[in-house]
Amino acid sequence: HRVVKALMSIQNGSASQIGMVVRAPKTAELIATHLRRQIVRGELQAGETLPPEVQLMEQYGVSRPTLREAFRILEAETLIILTAGIDLSCGMVMALGSIVMTKFAADLGLPTPIAILCGIGVTALFGLLNGLLVTRIKLPPFIVTLASMGAVRGLLYIYSATPQYSEDPLFRSLLGAAFIGPAPVASLLFLISLPIVWFYLNRTTSGRAVYAIGVNAEAVRLAGINVNRHIIAAYMACGFLAALAGVLLASRLGIAQPSVGIGYELDAI
């Protein structure tokens, strides 16, 4: 919240001024550097107010850019809940996908599309791990994903204690800040994904099996359907969609933070 206050009140990008509000020298310097680079690139003139995408808080403490990402996680959580499970780690997995993507692009110099695929791949592996623990070890989904949430949160602060951003212009223009006509690409992706998820759940054999597993998994198993495979696929899909939400959020804001995603799992549920 202090970071948001600083970004919304500071106009000249001074690290000392930001540091008066943000009591973390590294974070203050990072914010100041980011604003100075915006001024150099011509995206923000000295003395002007900050652009809307940097003003993260709205009236109720939720930014407009994050709403689409929250709904994308909702799609992911839907698949898990329909199997009579739950995923409490999706918010932290979203943050993990954005941090991995940004770090790989900034530190390793990977092209942005490759870095995005790496971020999505890492989160899909976490989904696979959750699914295996639920199906093979027979642990309750609540316990598994609660533990995953804490583990991922710890890994995020170990891997990246401060917010990360990429120098690649494609990082902002590929998904988050791109428009097709008057419509943002992020919104179009969300609108496109809705009928895809609906069609999968209501018009495919595998999707109908997801509903059936949530009602009576044993009856589905006796009918010859591989229950474990469908549950694992649902958790992997949750990781994939959560990472995609994190990529969109980081691309939209131009920065990835390890603290983002806290509480998103409750919104999705």
Side-chain angles (χ1 to χ4, degrees):
H1 183 66
R2 290 195 298 270
V3 173
V4 172
K5 282 282 190 180
L7 285 176
M8 295 180 69
S9 60
I10 302 303
Q11 295 186 358
N12 63 2
S14 168
S16 60
Q17 287 181 295
I18 296 174
M20 294 171 62
V21 184
V22 184
R23 298 173 183 175
K26 290 185 178 180
T27 304
E29 182 59 35
L30 181 62
I31 294 171
T33 302
H34 181 62
L35 294 182
R36 285 196 294 269
R37 286 174 178 170
Q38 280 193 309
I39 294 173
V40 170
R41 292 171 183 167
E43 298 175 12
L44 179 66
Q45 299 298 324
E48 290 183 355
T49 58
L50 296 174
E53 63 266 20
V54 184
Q55 300 179 6
L56 303 182
M57 287 291 180
E58 297 293 339
Q59 180 179 2
Y60 297 105
V62 180
S63 66
R64 285 174 183 156
T66 62
L67 293 178
R68 290 185 293 271
E69 285 69 42
F71 281 119
R72 190 169 297 281
I73 296 182
L74 183 148
E75 296 174 6
E77 192 73 47
T78 298
L79 299 176
I80 304 295
I81 292 177
L82 288 177
T83 64
I86 196 169
D87 190 350
L88 299 177
S89 65
C90 58
M92 289 296 97
V93 168
M94 183 195 80
L96 177 65
S98 64
I99 287 290
V100 169
M101 181 268 294
T102 311
K103 288 275 285 185
F104 278 28
D107 296 350
L108 302 182
L110 293 180
T112 297
I114 302 300
I116 290 175
L117 293 177
C118 291
I120 292 175
V122 170
T123 58
L125 287 178
F126 266 93
L128 174 63
L129 177 61
N130 286 338
L132 290 175
L133 290 174
V134 170
T135 58
R136 302 299 182 183
I137 311 299
K138 304 300 183 182
L139 295 175
F142 182 90
I143 300 300
V144 170
T145 57
L146 182 64
S148 295
M149 179 179 67
V152 173
R153 183 180 298 177
L155 287 175
L156 281 171
Y157 284 104
I158 292 174
Y159 184 56
S160 177
T162 59
Q164 301 294 319
Y165 60 93
S166 174
E167 297 284 351
D168 189 357
L170 192 62
F171 175 69
R172 293 292 309 279
S173 61
L174 183 64
L175 293 174
F179 282 77
I180 297 180
V185 170
S187 295
L188 293 177
L189 289 175
F190 168 65
L191 293 176
I192 291 172
S193 64
L194 280 179
I196 292 175
V197 173
W198 177 88
F199 181 84
Y200 167 74
L201 290 174
N202 293 276
R203 293 293 185 267
T204 66
T205 303
S206 178
R208 300 306 299 173
V210 171
Y211 279 103
I213 290 171
V215 175
N216 192 328
E218 182 62 19
V220 174
R221 186 187 66 81
L222 294 175
I225 297 175
N226 192 325
V227 173
N228 289 345
R229 185 182 65 187
H230 283 82
I231 293 177
I232 292 173
Y235 279 95
M236 291 185 67
C238 186
F240 169 82
L241 290 172
L244 186 57
V247 168
L248 289 173
L249 179 60
S251 180
R252 172 67 174 170
L253 299 177
I255 193 169
Q257 302 185 61
S259 61
V260 76
I262 295 177
Y264 272 51
E265 64 280 350
L266 300 180
D267 294 334
I269 293 170

